[in-house]
Amino acid sequence: MQRTTSGHAAVSPADAARQAREQTTLFRFTDRLFRARTLAETYEAALDAICEALATLRASILRFDEGGTMRFVVWRGLSDEYRAAVDGHAPWNRSDREADPIFVSDIALTSEPRRLIESIIGEGIHALAFIPLAGADELTGKFMVYYDTPRVFTEHERDIALVIARQLGFAIERHTGDASARRLAALVESSDDAIIAKDLNGLITDWNPGAERLFGYRREEVLGQPIMLLIPEDRRDEEPRILERIRAGERIEHYETMRRRKDGTLVAISLSISPIKDARGEIMGASKIARDISERRRAQDQQQLLLREMNHRVKNVFALTSGIVNLSARSAATPAELASTVSERLATLSRAHALTMSSVAAGLEPAATTLHALIAAILEPYRAGERSRSEIRGADIPVPSTLVTSLSLLLHEFATNAAKYGSLSTPDGIVEITCSDRSSEFVIVWCERGGPSPESTGSEGFGSRLVKATASQLGRVSRVWDPAGVIIELVIERDRLGA
């Protein structure tokens, strides 16, 4: 062996040339990784470097798929049949972050399953190496090299393989991270929800277009501002509690609260809040997703109102049915006559009820009618045989289809109360309805006579609230508790009648 004058072994020309080639290969590989804009370019650069540095014509790169199975992503010199036969085979799983490379000098001498050995040898492969590709937190895949004859791998080849694997692993993670960041940024930018980031001092650090639409502030107006900008005075105690939970690493799901827009109006929102961690895993802030739930709240309120109205109506139906039976029993001579009278009155009541509800339940627009016809239909169930229990006087006007439901609801409520407590609860009681046409208003006066003296309870039940809410859609309503009977005045604004 030649030695230099200093006593160290001289590098042979062949070794010097090999080292120069390897350095050139690694330099070129590093440069191509830096310039690569896609994973495909990264893979191509890696295969070139692997084949040049490890003196092979056949190589492949495999990655874990979403299910945790190792799959081929790129390859050279391998048949479709071979890849299908060994697809999914891997000596490691994702959690093997510190996996060691595996070098197989002669596959025929291993204890691998016979079918796997036969597939490998059938491809003309006798020696091969498994080189793990590690990311920062987990194993992302492997690259492999294949040789046509048995081979003793040198320590130098192992070192070269690991150098390439480290660079490739970092490059894959960078591209994957960049792609994930771009996808996440696109999702944040296009989200209809408000997405806000803040630091542990409660200062806003990020603000997406959804937040601009929900709260009215532009991004540049709020960056660096305290999140308290959005919190109403009566909810200022929420933020310290939220920050305390975030510092403890908690995630807050679907927290419903109120926030304040730039214009001062309040909006009901549902908040989901998650800690933001840095590269060391330490919590540095929080991300908030705020969703406007105003429409949902209104829908829930409307649903509750409808349920209460349904309950109220069902109770009224039972009360009315009882009243009809009692009223009919006073004049019926036989059970058959009673049954016939009750049946007829219930059928009439059903037709009047259908006038107010059927078209709405079917999703149709109520049919237009005249005011006198509408009143008569609603009071028809309360007739005493051939004798009407109501007198309708004054002006008669068309009722627009848009008002039929609201007006029917009010008149039905008046009639129900009269049958339960007022003039229609006695055999001789009547209701006088007077309609007056004024210049800017139309007035309906409901006057009960011949019943018990009315009494104001002083409390407002659901029926009274329903009347008030419905009347506000038309105009206004007032009551007078006259000893002779209650007097109700319903004033409808002229522009509501479309005249």
Side-chain angles (χ1 to χ4, degrees):
M1 180 181 294
Q2 291 182 324
R3 293 186 178 273
T4 62
T5 55
S6 61
H8 294 290
V11 178
S12 69
D15 286 341
R18 176 181 53 76
Q19 291 176 4
R21 287 196 302 274
E22 289 174 352
Q23 290 175 357
T24 300
T25 296
L26 293 177
F27 175 80
R28 187 184 304 119
F29 179 44
T30 302
D31 183 63
R32 290 179 67 183
L33 288 183
F34 176 76
R35 299 175 184 276
R37 293 293 178 264
T38 65
L39 270 177
E41 293 177 359
T42 298
Y43 292 149
E44 188 67 19
L47 287 180
D48 285 345
I50 291 167
C51 291
E52 290 174 15
L54 298 174
T56 184
L57 297 177
R58 295 198 278 186
S60 64
I61 299 173
L62 298 90
R63 298 278 309 280
F64 286 111
D65 64 14
E66 292 182 357
T69 301
M70 195 83 80
R71 305 290 188 191
F72 286 90
V73 290
V74 289
W75 56 89
R76 286 184 186 171
L78 300 177
S79 68
D80 294 343
E81 293 76 16
Y82 172 74
R83 285 186 288 104
V86 301
D87 191 43
H89 176 268
W92 317 290
N93 56 47
R94 275 197 174 118
S95 62
D96 295 328
R97 171 66 180 77
E98 303 298 329
D100 291 324
I102 299 172
F103 295 88
V104 180
S105 296
D106 189 343
I107 189 64
L109 303 179
T110 67
S111 59
E112 293 292 338
R114 195 66 212 166
R115 177 177 293 183
L116 179 62
I117 293 175
E118 289 174 355
S119 296
I120 295 173
I121 294 177
E123 186 73 4
I125 298 170
H126 291 272
L128 63 163
F130 302 72
I131 314 298
L133 301 175
D137 300 312
E138 63 179 10
L139 198 67
T140 63
K142 66 180 178 180
F143 80 73
M144 298 196 65
V145 290
Y146 312 91
Y147 297 91
D148 299 344
T149 59
R151 181 186 185 89
V152 176
F153 291 92
T154 67
E155 194 66 31
H156 181 71
E157 287 174 326
R158 296 169 185 261
D159 292 341
I160 289 291
L162 287 176
V163 169
I164 294 174
R166 290 192 189 100
Q167 291 196 58
L168 177 56
F170 292 150
I172 290 173
E173 191 167 62
R174 175 174 65 85
H175 278 288
T176 303
D178 288 347
S180 296
R182 287 193 295 272
R183 286 195 297 270
L184 180 59
L187 286 172
V188 169
E189 289 298 302
S190 62
S191 175
D192 290 332
D193 294 333
I195 301 177
I196 304 166
K198 64 179 181 181
D199 63 19
L200 292 179
N201 295 316
L203 300 181
I204 298 170
T205 58
D206 214 342
W207 184 267
N208 79 329
E212 293 186 354
R213 291 189 293 272
L214 180 58
F215 296 112
Y217 291 98
R218 297 190 308 277
R219 188 172 188 272
E220 56 269 24
E221 291 182 278
V222 295
L223 290 186
Q225 296 296 316
I227 198 72
M228 287 292 189
L229 186 72
L230 307 176
I231 302 178
E233 295 293 336
D234 61 343
R235 294 180 181 265
R236 291 295 176 97
D237 60 330
E238 293 179 353
E239 184 62 15
R241 294 202 302 267
I242 289 172
L243 284 175
E244 183 179 350
R245 293 176 64 180
I246 291 299
R247 288 190 182 99
E250 287 188 50
R251 176 179 169 83
I252 301 171
E253 293 277 6
H254 308 304
Y255 176 70
E256 295 190 4
T257 184
M258 301 294 294
R259 289 296 180 258
R260 184 173 55 205
R261 294 186 175 103
K262 182 179 180 180
D263 62 8
T265 59
L266 298 180
V267 57
I269 64 169
S270 173
L271 275 178
S272 293
I273 311 171
S274 302
I276 299 175
K277 298 180 181 181
D278 62 17
R280 294 172 297 178
E282 296 180 1
I283 296 170
M284 55 181 290
S287 65
K288 292 187 173 186
I289 300 177
R291 175 167 296 177
D292 185 351
I293 58 172
S294 302
E295 285 299 324
R296 193 187 80 191
R297 286 271 183 91
R298 282 191 286 269
Q300 289 174 339
D301 292 343
Q302 181 67 15
Q303 183 184 47
Q304 289 301 313
L305 176 64
L306 290 174
L307 288 173
R308 293 175 66 190
E309 181 182 337
M310 181 182 296
N311 180 58
H312 177 72
R313 281 176 172 265
V314 168
K315 288 181 178 179
N316 278 349
V317 167
F318 283 119
L320 282 173
T321 303
S322 177
I324 287 173
V325 171
N326 292 332
L327 183 65
S328 302
R330 294 170 187 165
S331 58
T334 65
E337 184 180 346
L338 173 61
S340 176
T341 303
V342 169
S343 178
E344 183 178 331
R345 283 179 169 165
L346 289 177
T348 306
L349 179 64
S350 177
R351 289 194 295 272
H353 180 73
L355 181 65
T356 64
M357 295 301 294
S358 61
S359 56
V360 176
L364 304 175
E365 186 174 314
T369 184
T370 65
L371 180 59
H372 284 202
L374 183 62
I375 297 171
I378 290 172
L379 290 173
E380 180 65 21
Y382 308 100
R383 293 178 63 89
E386 297 299 321
R387 184 172 64 86
S388 175
R389 305 288 301 284
S390 62
E391 295 179 7
I392 307 170
R393 299 188 292 264
D396 190 14
I397 58 170
V399 179
S401 60
T402 53
L403 295 188
V404 169
T405 299
S406 299
L407 190 53
S408 297
L409 184 62
L410 278 175
L411 295 171
H412 188 273
E413 191 68 24
F414 297 164
T416 300
N417 288 334
K420 290 164 65 177
Y421 316 113
S423 61
L424 298 182
S425 67
T426 62
D428 299 323
I430 65 169
V431 178
E432 298 172 350
I433 300 100
T434 304
C435 306
S436 304
D437 195 353
R438 298 177 186 171
S439 58
S440 60
E441 298 173 331
F442 194 89
V443 181
I444 302 172
V445 178
W446 176 286
C447 184
E448 299 182 18
R449 294 289 181 263
S453 181
E455 295 182 6
S456 173
T457 62
S459 63
E460 188 179 62
F462 179 76
S464 299
R465 293 194 295 273
L466 180 63
V467 166
K468 183 182 294 183
T470 308
S472 66
Q473 302 173 21
L474 303 172
R476 62 186 184 276
V477 67
S478 62
R479 280 187 176 89
V480 176
W481 305 99
D482 189 271
V486 69
I487 301 172
I488 305 172
E489 183 179 81
L490 173 63
V491 179
I492 304 175
E493 297 172 3
R494 170 58 66 180
D495 57 359
R496 304 289 179 92
L497 295 170

